[in-house]
Amino acid sequence: MSDKKKMVEAITPIDQDFAQWYTDICLKAELVDYSTVKGCVILRPYGYAIWENITRILDKMLKNTGHENVAMPMFIPESLLQKEKDHVEGFAPEVAWVTHGGEEELEDRLCVRPTSETLFCDHFAHILHSWRDLPLKYNQWCSVVRWEKSTRPFLRSREFWWQEGHTLHETAEEAKAETELMLNVYADLCEKHLMIPVVKGKKTDKEKFAGAEATYTIEAMMHDGKALQSGTSHYFGDGFAHAFDIQFAGRDNTLQHPFQTSWGVSTRLVGAIIMTHGDDEGLILPPAIAPYQVVIVPIASHKPSVMEKAEELAARLRKFCRVKLDASDNSPGWKFAQWEMKGVPLRLEIGPKDIENNQCVLVRRDNREKVFVNLDELETALPAQLDVVAQAIFQKALQNRENRTFSASTMDEVIRLASEKNGYIKTMWCGDLACEEKMKEEAGLSSRCMPFEQETISDVCPCCGKPAKTMVYWGKAY
Amino acid sequence: MSDKKKMVEAITPIDQDFAQWYTDICLKAELVDYSTVKGCVILRPYGYAIWENITRILDKMLKNTGHENVAMPMFIPESLLQKEKDHVEGFAPEVAWVTHGGEEELEDRLCVRPTSETLFCDHFAHILHSWRDLPLKYNQWCSVVRWEKSTRPFLRSREFWWQEGHTLHETAEEAKAETELMLNVYADLCEKHLMIPVVKGKKTDKEKFAGAEATYTIEAMMHDGKALQSGTSHYFGDGFAHAFDIQFAGRDNTLQHPFQTSWGVSTRLVGAIIMTHGDDEGLILPPAIAPYQVVIVPIASHKPSVMEKAEELAARLRKFCRVKLDASDNSPGWKFAQWEMKGVPLRLEIGPKDIENNQCVLVRRDNREKVFVNLDELETALPAQLDVVAQAIFQKALQNRENRTFSASTMDEVIRLASEKNGYIKTMWCGDLACEEKMKEEAGLSSRCMPFEQETISDVCPCCGKPAKTMVYWGKAY
């Protein structure tokens, strides 16, 4: 077990230095490599496979809710970006500019898309004619670029991978319903597949997307109590439609402007998975998106009968789950540590004694609990055990959030809690920007959202004492 | 049928103006839209769905041959691009340059990747340590940018979507075998799924990839007799490994340079499908990649029993194929024309009389042949008929290629054939660049490839009279 110990020692303990632990996992589990392109990472096969599994699940959800995939250019002419005032102000300072194509200097320089509202609007103006064309429900899988100053793998990098949905609707009501529908799709993705509990709510005006009338969000809490904005859904009203001259002939034959939404999730979700579920041994992956759901480790694999049985099992399991047979000549202990680092939800151990007893050992990644399973029952026992792991890590994450969610009704309480605890602080709020800014200055907290599930903590805003309009989740965020 | 006629008249006849016919189809079948970003297109839902189906088939083939997906940054620092001399000479003149990030000017400007050999090499140098790490067989799905002067949808645009494989091997033999393996994968993709016959061969030195030791190609012939390079596979030897200092500890513990390949196919394949199979009515799609394999058109759809039956059939068919029920209030004739334009391989017509007889009509897109099918037999009859369409369009394309392939043994013959016919001209060749250039100047032909299946047409090069080394396919190309 000495090599196993060496491998485990190589990660910083999670509660000693969470940031370093995170970086260690990204590299040791071979999710990413740093690239020579400053601020950009390389998604290595294991990291990419996680993202690929997320995209496969979400793409199906998007198609089931009537969305079609398209591909837009990666460039936005500067003149096009400038058409919507708030939008350009929000994004222009952080884009990469292409000024030369081949040997020629461009007249209208191009930015690499930081998000594609402007491109979609330009296209919509071309193709939309009649109310019969509506709704238009499009999605795009691509990477986007934002020139961030400080970067971290998955959480914030100059290039990241995502999907961005863009839809047009005949009425404001339909567009608002779409915004809500997609937020629920994202919440389902997180809670039912990634096993990450989220709080659904609305962003304050300060935190909303540049150019949106309203931004809705799902907020997840990481192991260390910090919040991670994990998906957003924006309602634009008809503001972009006016700016880009998107019109259609309505049912009454008058020209009308459509109502618009956009929404996105990104490779940030991989960061959320790491920071929600991981532990001192490494990654813990939700079964739905794990590149391998089960790793088979043969014990005493030099015995031909053991390898033969392991291969037979791998072939059987491959029919209903993603399985890796580790047939390398490393020791079982080394293999245990390696696949724990990589977060494989279940380990299947099979040795000579097990074969004699027509059984194997299933070991849960999340708590190392072992169960003996009759080999004839694997087709039912293994999926059931995967589900046990999934539910357990969800409950653990939920428990962490509950333990780290606090209420406060005075600024003193807020400041004390913010300095002593990491987590959400719930307070009432008057709705004024001044109070939101004061929460940042005095307690170091940003508003995470105004949750859909409201509570009444007190009657007044703890900042100014004016009547409260809403309850807000505050926190420190990635 | 008047609206049907109007729709058909809107496309230029294929044998009147092939280039215009092509553009008409791209727009009328709603595959693309032009964007305001010069030289870039938008892939609309129907066009994107075709590409998505191609990627799904090919991605599976790549995984089955042991390749793993990764994602690299979209930028290449100029200093990195310059490391391999031939490569930078080939690509630097046609890249887009990012000179500013946010408000700051970059010290080392970045190009948007035109291809990613340099990024992969840089990464390989980081992660390769021992012969035990080999082979490394990576693939990336992404878009790349080349600053083309004149562009056409799918065939040549400033941004296009593709996959690029990059592999490292311990020995030259293994790398060469990989190059051949991937060329065969591409040929299978084209011939068994896209139903496009291809010629496999090696490119001349003049036509090979910048930085490669050898480039292998699959060449397809379009309806008009012009060639389309449809996929390439490159053998690099250890040239890039030396330029990028990629080394590993070999079996004998000495430091060695690995041998490398790369290979790619792109959205160009969608152009190949259009130009190989299409006709005066529009697109004809191979069933394997058609977004809809069958369109159900109810006849006398105002009768409730008809729509009910059509919906019941759609639900049944959805279990084993991609089906569209056209329930719009357009006339059957309009629907026929629309779905012919979009190239759906089979149309299923169902009307009151058919329901009485427990049958439906299946109409082939490629030749409008009708068959009556008993409704109880759809589960077998429909897939069989899809296969009939697939084989028929492959045979038609093969016939076109055979009709348009000529042999010549003198320059006079070459020049006469090149002026009278569009197609391949096969000749012997001495191997000299001068003769290759003369073929271009005097007959307007470029070398397509030195095919793996060689023939002996004469003993000498028709250009210079020197002894022939190989047979070459010449042609005009897209």
Side-chain angles (χ1 to χ4, degrees):
Chain A
M1 296 289 278
S2 69
D3 49 359
K4 178 180 176 181
K5 217 170 148 203
K6 198 164 65 195
M7 195 159 175
V8 173
E9 279 176 350
I11 331 183
T12 306
I14 189 166
D15 291 323
Q16 177 184 312
D17 181 346
F18 191 66
Q20 188 57 48
W21 168 87
Y22 178 79
T23 307
D24 287 352
I25 290 212
C26 285
L27 297 174
K28 290 266 168 194
E30 300 184 320
L31 303 179
V32 301
D33 188 22
Y34 291 111
S35 87
T36 46
V37 189
K38 211 182 148 219
C40 294
V41 292
I42 292 161
L43 300 189
R44 300 190 65 183
Y46 201 69
Y48 191 85
I50 294 172
W51 176 237
E52 204 170 48
N53 286 334
I54 295 173
T55 64
R56 198 175 39 227
I57 292 168
L58 181 56
D59 192 71
K60 201 170 172 186
M61 294 169 98
L62 298 183
K63 282 174 178 151
N64 286 344
T65 43
H67 300 90
E68 300 181 291
N69 287 332
V70 298
M72 291 281 158
M74 68 158 77
F75 300 119
I76 306 173
E78 186 164 20
S79 54
L80 192 66
L81 188 67
Q82 288 170 337
K83 281 199 172 184
E84 213 284 337
K85 198 180 60 64
D86 292 337
H87 189 69
V88 67
E89 273 177 22
F91 284 105
E94 57 173 40
V95 296
W97 290 106
V98 174
T99 56
H100 291 74
E103 253 106 60
E104 64 171 318
E105 188 168 350
L106 305 180
E107 278 177 36
D108 191 7
R109 59 182 189 160
L110 304 169
C111 77
V112 182
R113 64 184 161 212
T115 178
S116 305
E117 276 73 10
T118 53
L119 292 165
F120 275 87
C121 282
D122 194 47
H123 177 52
F124 287 147
H126 275 197
I127 63 165
L128 179 64
H129 304 292
S130 148
W131 64 272
R132 289 169 191 273
D133 301 328
L134 294 170
L136 281 169
K137 296 176 51 155
Y138 286 172
N139 176 62
Q140 168 169 260
W141 292 99
C142 64
S143 70
V144 292
V145 169
R146 298 179 187 175
W147 218 253
E148 306 282 359
K149 295 247 189 300
S150 67
T151 59
R152 298 186 67 191
F154 299 116
L155 300 179
R156 197 171 294 278
S157 61
R158 288 190 172 169
E159 180 181 7
F160 59 91
W161 293 265
W162 79 346
Q163 60 67 222
E164 46 179 325
H166 297 270
T167 70
L168 283 190
H169 305 264
E170 197 180 346
T171 65
E173 289 63 41
E174 283 175 45
K176 283 176 187 166
E178 168 80 8
T179 317
E180 195 185 323
L181 171 72
M182 297 325 293
L183 195 75
N184 286 331
V185 164
Y186 289 160
D188 279 357
L189 173 69
C190 285
E191 300 200 325
K192 295 183 182 160
H193 299 277
L194 312 186
M195 312 320 290
I196 299 173
V198 293
V199 173
K200 293 190 274 190
K202 188 178 174 181
K203 286 281 182 190
T204 61
D205 280 351
K206 178 174 184 287
E207 299 287 333
K208 75 181 184 190
F209 184 83
E213 277 196 19
T215 288
Y216 301 91
T217 181
I218 49 170
E219 299 282 326
M221 184 187 283
M222 304 297 98
H223 173 84
D224 65 345
K226 278 168 108 173
L228 187 77
Q229 176 180 305
S230 303
T232 48
S233 181
H234 316 292
Y235 171 66
F236 290 112
D238 58 1
F240 273 83
H242 280 276
F244 285 82
D245 216 11
I246 310 173
Q247 289 183 300
F248 65 96
R251 287 169 201 262
D252 61 0
N253 257 322
T254 63
L255 274 183
Q256 299 171 19
H257 291 93
F259 296 83
Q260 192 165 348
T261 83
S262 81
W263 26 273
V265 295
S266 74
T267 32
R268 212 165 210 234
L269 288 176
V270 181
I273 291 167
I274 300 169
M275 294 198 296
T276 302
H277 301 306
D279 67 12
D280 280 337
E281 268 63 61
L283 265 182
I284 297 181
L285 291 177
I289 56 84
Y292 304 119
Q293 296 169 309
V294 189
V295 57
I296 300 178
V297 178
I299 310 295
S301 57
H302 55 279
K303 299 201 177 168
S305 64
V306 172
M307 272 315 287
E308 201 178 289
K309 194 67 180 178
E311 276 162 18
E312 178 200 314
L313 285 178
R316 244 176 81 193
L317 301 192
R318 225 160 254 136
K319 287 176 193 154
F320 62 91
C321 70
R322 296 186 290 274
V323 55
K324 168 82 185 174
L325 167 58
D326 189 342
S328 69
D329 51 12
N330 295 315
S331 71
W334 198 94
K335 292 179 186 179
F336 293 176
Q338 184 189 19
W339 296 110
E340 284 180 359
M341 176 66 73
K342 291 204 160 194
V344 179
L346 287 179
R347 179 170 78 228
L348 188 158
E349 302 173 9
I350 181 119
K353 278 244 171 77
D354 299 310
I355 296 172
E356 255 174 52
N357 297 326
N358 193 43
Q359 70 181 23
C360 66
V361 185
L362 285 186
V363 186
R364 284 169 56 176
R365 168 62 183 89
D366 61 317
N367 66 358
R368 289 204 176 137
E369 195 181 286
K370 292 182 181 199
V371 288
F372 289 89
V373 173
N374 186 302
L375 291 185
D376 300 333
E377 288 161 14
L378 271 176
E379 272 76 4
T380 51
L382 201 146
Q385 197 68 353
L386 284 174
D387 198 47
V388 166
V389 172
Q391 296 312 322
I393 64 176
F394 181 82
Q395 287 305 324
K396 192 176 163 217
L398 193 61
Q399 194 61 57
N400 183 51
R401 188 179 81 188
E402 283 171 8
N403 293 345
R404 290 176 178 279
T405 301
F406 311 96
S407 298
S409 47
T410 67
M411 267 315 273
D412 283 351
E413 262 186 288
V414 169
I415 292 166
R416 183 180 54 76
L417 280 168
S419 70
E420 286 173 8
K421 312 275 187 185
N422 286 316
Y424 291 140
I425 301 176
K426 299 187 284 190
T427 79
M428 305 312 288
W429 181 47
C430 62
D432 285 356
L433 177 62
C435 292
E436 191 174 357
E437 285 173 342
K438 202 172 161 193
M439 289 292 262
K440 185 79 193 176
E441 286 153 26
E442 300 196 357
L445 301 174
S446 61
S447 73
R448 304 318 311 149
C449 69
M450 299 174 282
F452 293 159
E453 285 188 24
Q454 285 280 317
E455 300 161 50
T456 305
I457 294 165
S458 65
D459 295 329
V460 296
C461 174
C463 259
C464 65
K466 281 192 287 192
K469 284 194 181 141
T470 180
M471 184 189 83
V472 173
Y473 275 91
W474 307 89
K476 291 163 192 151
Y478 282 97
Chain B
M1 297 288 280
S2 69
D3 50 357
K4 179 182 175 182
K5 218 173 147 201
K6 199 165 63 195
M7 195 159 174
V8 172
E9 277 174 354
I11 330 182
T12 305
I14 189 167
D15 290 323
Q16 178 185 310
D17 181 346
F18 190 67
Q20 189 57 49
W21 168 88
Y22 178 79
T23 307
D24 287 352
I25 290 212
C26 286
L27 297 173
K28 291 264 167 193
E30 300 184 319
L31 303 180
V32 301
D33 189 20
Y34 292 111
S35 86
T36 46
V37 189
K38 212 184 147 216
C40 293
V41 293
I42 292 161
L43 300 189
R44 300 189 65 184
Y46 201 68
Y48 191 84
I50 294 172
W51 175 239
E52 204 170 48
N53 286 335
I54 295 173
T55 63
R56 197 173 41 228
I57 292 167
L58 181 56
D59 192 71
K60 201 170 173 186
M61 293 169 97
L62 298 184
K63 282 173 176 152
N64 286 344
T65 44
H67 300 91
E68 300 180 291
N69 287 332
V70 298
M72 290 281 156
M74 67 158 78
F75 300 120
I76 307 173
E78 187 165 19
S79 54
L80 193 65
L81 188 68
Q82 288 170 337
K83 281 200 173 183
E84 212 285 338
K85 197 180 62 64
D86 291 337
H87 189 69
V88 66
E89 274 177 22
F91 284 104
E94 59 173 38
V95 297
W97 289 106
V98 173
T99 55
H100 291 74
E103 253 108 60
E104 63 172 314
E105 187 169 350
L106 306 181
E107 278 178 36
D108 190 7
R109 58 182 189 161
L110 304 169
C111 77
V112 182
R113 63 184 162 214
T115 179
S116 306
E117 275 74 9
T118 52
L119 293 164
F120 275 88
C121 283
D122 194 46
H123 178 51
F124 286 147
H126 276 198
I127 63 166
L128 179 63
H129 304 294
S130 146
W131 64 273
R132 289 168 192 273
D133 300 329
L134 293 172
L136 282 170
K137 294 174 55 155
Y138 286 172
N139 176 63
Q140 167 168 260
W141 292 99
C142 64
S143 70
V144 292
V145 169
R146 298 178 187 175
W147 218 252
E148 306 281 358
K149 295 247 188 304
S150 67
T151 59
R152 299 185 66 191
F154 299 116
L155 300 179
R156 196 172 295 278
S157 62
R158 286 186 174 172
E159 181 182 7
F160 59 90
W161 293 265
W162 78 347
Q163 60 67 222
E164 47 178 324
H166 296 271
T167 71
L168 283 189
H169 306 265
E170 196 180 347
T171 65
E173 289 62 42
E174 282 175 45
K176 283 176 187 166
E178 168 80 6
T179 317
E180 194 184 324
L181 171 72
M182 298 323 294
L183 196 74
N184 286 330
V185 163
Y186 289 160
D188 279 357
L189 173 69
C190 285
E191 300 201 325
K192 294 182 181 160
H193 299 276
L194 312 186
M195 311 322 288
I196 299 173
V198 294
V199 173
K200 292 190 273 191
K202 188 178 175 182
K203 286 283 183 190
T204 61
D205 281 351
K206 178 173 183 290
E207 299 288 333
K208 75 183 186 190
F209 184 83
E213 275 194 22
T215 288
Y216 301 91
T217 181
I218 49 171
E219 298 283 325
M221 185 188 282
M222 304 296 99
H223 172 83
D224 66 345
K226 279 167 106 173
L228 188 77
Q229 176 180 306
S230 302
T232 47
S233 181
H234 315 292
Y235 171 66
F236 289 113
D238 58 1
F240 274 83
H242 279 276
F244 285 82
D245 217 12
I246 311 172
Q247 289 183 300
F248 65 94
R251 287 169 201 264
D252 60 0
N253 257 322
T254 63
L255 274 183
Q256 298 170 20
H257 291 94
F259 295 83
Q260 193 165 349
T261 82
S262 82
W263 26 273
V265 296
S266 74
T267 33
R268 204 160 218 237
L269 288 175
V270 181
I273 291 167
I274 300 169
M275 295 199 294
T276 301
H277 301 307
D279 67 12
D280 280 337
E281 268 63 60
L283 264 183
I284 296 181
L285 291 177
I289 56 83
Y292 305 120
Q293 296 170 309
V294 189
V295 57
I296 300 178
V297 178
I299 310 296
S301 57
H302 54 280
K303 300 202 176 167
S305 64
V306 172
M307 273 314 289
E308 202 178 288
K309 193 67 179 179
E311 277 162 17
E312 177 200 317
L313 285 178
R316 244 177 81 192
L317 299 192
R318 225 160 256 137
K319 286 176 191 153
F320 61 92
C321 70
R322 297 187 290 274
V323 57
K324 168 81 185 174
L325 167 58
D326 189 341
S328 69
D329 52 12
N330 295 315
S331 71
W334 199 95
K335 292 179 185 177
F336 293 176
Q338 185 189 17
W339 296 110
E340 284 180 358
M341 176 67 74
K342 292 205 160 191
V344 179
L346 287 179
R347 177 169 80 228
L348 188 159
E349 301 173 11
I350 182 119
K353 278 245 172 78
D354 300 311
I355 294 172
E356 257 173 50
N357 297 325
N358 193 43
Q359 69 181 23
C360 67
V361 186
L362 285 185
V363 186
R364 283 168 57 176
R365 169 62 183 88
D366 61 318
N367 65 359
R368 291 205 175 134
E369 196 180 284
K370 293 184 180 198
V371 288
F372 289 90
V373 173
N374 186 303
L375 292 185
D376 300 334
E377 287 161 14
L378 270 176
E379 273 76 4
T380 51
L382 202 147
Q385 197 69 350
L386 284 173
D387 197 47
V388 166
V389 173
Q391 296 312 321
I393 64 176
F394 181 81
Q395 286 304 324
K396 194 176 161 217
L398 193 60
Q399 193 63 55
N400 183 51
R401 188 179 80 189
E402 283 171 8
N403 293 345
R404 289 175 178 278
T405 301
F406 311 95
S407 298
S409 47
T410 67
M411 267 316 273
D412 283 352
E413 263 186 290
V414 169
I415 292 167
R416 182 180 56 75
L417 280 167
S419 70
E420 287 173 8
K421 313 274 190 185
N422 286 314
Y424 291 141
I425 301 176
K426 299 187 284 191
T427 79
M428 305 312 288
W429 181 48
C430 62
D432 285 357
L433 176 61
C435 293
E436 190 174 359
E437 285 173 342
K438 202 170 160 194
M439 289 293 261
K440 186 79 192 177
E441 285 153 27
E442 299 196 359
L445 301 173
S446 62
S447 72
R448 304 318 311 149
C449 69
M450 300 175 281
F452 293 159
E453 285 188 23
Q454 285 281 316
E455 300 162 49
T456 306
I457 294 166
S458 65
D459 296 328
V460 296
C461 174
C463 260
C464 65
K466 281 193 286 192
K469 283 194 182 142
T470 180
M471 184 188 82
V472 173
Y473 275 90
W474 308 89
K476 289 161 193 153
Y478 282 96

